[in-house]
Amino acid sequence: MRPHAPGGLLFVALGLILVAAGYVWRGRVLRPLSAKRAQAAVIRDRSRNLLRSADMAIAGARRRAAHGKPAIVTVGDVTEVARQHYGYRFVEREEAAAALRQRYKAADCRADCMTDAFN
């Protein structure tokens, strides 16, 4: 066995070239972050988190309701869950009410829940 095989040297040289190229191009952004895309992502995350907050508020109200009594879910419950779980300092009432209305219909709450989101 030869100590310096040409295939091994070629492999090491290729590795060194790749490391040097990575060092030279380190930190360059291929596509800069778009402000519009970033804003759209924030809006998407906020509405998704509000829908989750509405789901958690509905589930909490159902757990708190007495047997045979309707669960009462308020818009305030949704804003409180959004504040506690997602750290939102302020959620507009209309925004929380829209999320609650959407999840209220999706969870088929008409049979066992009451809400103030439709007022």
Side-chain angles (χ1 to χ4, degrees):
M1 184 175 211
R2 297 181 303 191
H4 300 291
L9 287 176
L10 182 64
F11 183 74
V12 170
L14 181 62
L16 288 173
I17 290 170
L18 287 174
V19 168
Y23 182 75
V24 169
W25 287 310
R26 173 182 48 130
R28 288 191 186 169
V29 177
L30 295 177
R31 189 170 80 181
L33 183 63
S34 168
K36 287 166 62 174
R37 281 197 329 256
Q39 184 66 26
V42 167
I43 291 170
R44 233 182 3 258
D45 287 344
R46 183 175 174 89
S47 40
R48 184 176 342 135
N49 289 341
L50 283 176
L51 290 175
R52 288 179 184 159
S53 296
D55 284 337
M56 286 188 262
I58 290 170
R62 282 180 169 166
R63 280 191 304 272
R64 288 189 308 267
H67 184 70
K69 300 287 182 179
I72 300 172
V73 187
T74 64
V75 175
D77 294 339
V78 175
T79 57
E80 184 65 24
V81 170
R83 188 183 62 75
Q84 288 179 352
H85 285 276
Y86 298 106
Y88 294 135
R89 292 182 185 261
F90 180 73
V91 178
E92 289 190 27
R93 187 185 193 302
E94 283 305 313
E95 194 177 18
L100 182 55
R101 281 191 298 267
Q102 185 176 353
R103 299 315 294 166
Y104 186 86
K105 290 176 185 175
D108 195 29
C109 288
R110 293 173 196 239
D112 64 340
C113 297
M114 294 172 54
T115 186
D116 63 347
F118 292 100
N119 297 341

